């Protein structure tokens, strides 16, 4: 549900850190967020299995992938960031 995008200066040029690398920030990926919300809704509200969600995601090529399986769906559903928990 998130992606990294370059931080831009007032002239729309990427800001570089002390090592010359582009500074990035994490922003919500709207397309991915919709798929993640769909997975949570199907799993929690409609009692779909992880396998069934994986089959649907493969049919829809969610995230440009047709390699969804139960393990990947479980990993997504258990990701602490999606549950509202972050560690620093």
């Amino acid at each position: 549900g998130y992606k990294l995008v370059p931080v831009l200066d007032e002239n729309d040029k990427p800001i570089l850190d002390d090592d010359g690398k582009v500074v990035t920030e994490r922003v919500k990926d709207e397309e991915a967020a919709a798929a993640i919300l769909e997975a949570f809704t199907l799993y929690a509200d409609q009692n779909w299995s992880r396998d069934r969600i994986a089959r649907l995601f493969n049919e829809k090529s969610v995230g440009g992938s047709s390699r969804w399986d139960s393990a990947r769906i479980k990993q997504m559903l258990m990701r602490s960031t999606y549950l509202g928990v972050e560690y620093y």
Side-chain angles (χ1 to χ4, degrees):
Y2 295 96
K3 61 183 174 182
L4 295 176
V5 297
V7 175
L8 305 176
D9 65 14
E10 61 276 354
N11 298 315
D12 289 332
K13 298 202 185 290
I15 296 175
L16 305 178
D17 66 13
D18 293 337
D19 296 325
K21 295 181 182 178
V22 175
V23 176
T24 60
E25 67 180 342
R26 186 174 62 171
V27 298
K28 187 177 183 179
D29 181 337
E30 295 296 334
E31 184 178 330
I36 292 163
L37 179 59
E38 180 179 26
F40 273 91
T41 301
L42 293 171
Y43 187 74
D45 293 343
Q46 298 184 26
N47 296 317
W48 279 36
S49 69
R50 294 189 315 257
D51 285 327
R52 187 174 177 192
I53 295 169
R55 284 193 299 276
L56 175 67
F57 276 28
N58 286 328
E59 289 171 11
K60 295 169 80 173
S61 293
V62 170
S65 176
S66 60
R67 298 183 56 158
W68 290 95
D69 59 20
S70 180
R72 281 187 73 187
I73 297 297
K74 179 180 179 182
Q75 182 181 29
M76 177 177 41
L77 294 173
M78 299 299 292
R79 188 163 290 152
S80 61
T81 302
Y82 299 159
L83 300 173
V85 178
E86 294 192 31
Y87 302 94
Y88 292 97

